Amino acid sequence: MRVRKLTFLTLAVAAGLSLTACQNDDDAAGQPAPSSASSASSTSGGSGSGGSDQDGGKGSTGAASGGKDTAAGSGSDSSGKAPKCTTDGLEITAKDNFIDGDPEGTVAVGLTNGSGADCVISGFAGVDLKTDAGDISATRKGDPGDPYILKNGKEIDFYVSYPLNESGGSGVRITGLVVTPPNETKSVALAWPGKGTLPVTDGSGSPVTVGPIGSAGQGG
């Protein structure tokens, strides 16, 4: 009789252990795998990587926008091209560039970009010499070449050539220089830095010529 009770007790304990093991298996099946939990954490980011998925998306958009801005360049318009240089954005100066022995007098006109952004400049500037006999417009001479991207703070030059007064007479007195940047209508009046007079001509053509932008070298 005692043997039968021990047998029933042993069977009951074994059944209980089997039931507990099954419940543990069921509980384990209801929990996410450690690898799944790690992947979810990586996807959502967390505070160290921008917070929520939505914030992470904004960060991605910002990075793409930054790339576009970089490609467009400083001072570029929405199309990615630098705007043209304007009179108001340029500092214009003139200096005597005559070298002894040259057949003509030369003045170098410098255009410095002070607009705060890069700009494009090309072609010819308008140049007029003020004289006591009236204004003389310079004639264009040379190939205008390709457009230049003038970096902010940088200078580009062009030349103005004029005949030397070697006639022995008083000639035509030069009183000033007027420069109009390419594709602009606003002019800047400057003091004339070259020789003081021009020879008297018969008026059959302008004795003054202007080279294209960049013809007198590009400054740093």
Side-chain angles (χ1 to χ4, degrees):
M1 187 68 177
R2 182 177 178 83
V3 173
R4 183 179 297 179
K5 288 182 179 181
L6 288 176
T7 301
F8 287 155
L9 179 60
T10 301
L11 291 175
V13 171
L17 291 174
S18 176
L19 179 60
T20 302
C22 291
Q23 289 177 343
N24 288 339
D25 289 343
D26 292 340
D27 291 341
Q31 298 295 325
S35 59
S36 299
S38 176
S39 299
S41 176
S42 176
T43 301
S44 63
S47 61
S49 59
S52 67
D53 289 340
Q54 184 176 2
D55 291 340
K58 290 181 180 178
S60 299
T61 303
S65 175
K68 181 179 180 181
D69 291 343
T70 302
S74 173
S76 300
D77 59 21
S78 58
S79 67
K81 297 180 181 179
K84 74 171 186 176
C85 299
T86 64
T87 303
D88 291 336
L90 295 169
E91 179 185 353
I92 304 176
T93 57
K95 64 181 180 181
D96 186 14
N97 205 38
F98 174 72
I99 299 174
D100 287 341
D102 285 352
E104 293 182 311
T106 306
V107 165
V109 178
L111 307 174
T112 301
N113 181 6
S115 67
D118 299 349
C119 62
V120 174
I121 192 166
S122 64
F124 292 85
V127 172
D128 295 287
L129 267 60
K130 311 288 288 185
T131 77
D132 58 1
D135 293 351
I136 299 175
S137 295
T139 300
R140 295 176 177 182
K141 183 179 180 180
D143 183 355
D146 296 327
Y148 293 88
I149 295 180
L150 187 58
K151 298 292 186 179
N152 182 49
K154 299 300 183 179
E155 176 183 337
I156 194 166
D157 302 333
F158 65 88
Y159 73 84
V160 178
S161 293
Y162 59 97
L164 300 173
N165 182 17
E166 298 174 339
S167 65
S170 60
V172 177
R173 186 168 63 90
I174 305 173
T175 60
L177 173 67
V178 177
V179 176
T180 308
N183 303 309
E184 283 287 282
T185 57
K186 185 176 181 179
S187 302
V188 173
L190 304 170
W192 174 251
K195 304 296 183 181
T197 62
L198 298 172
V200 177
T201 66
D202 59 8
S204 59
S206 173
V208 182
T209 58
V210 56
I213 297 297
S215 58
Q218 184 171 359

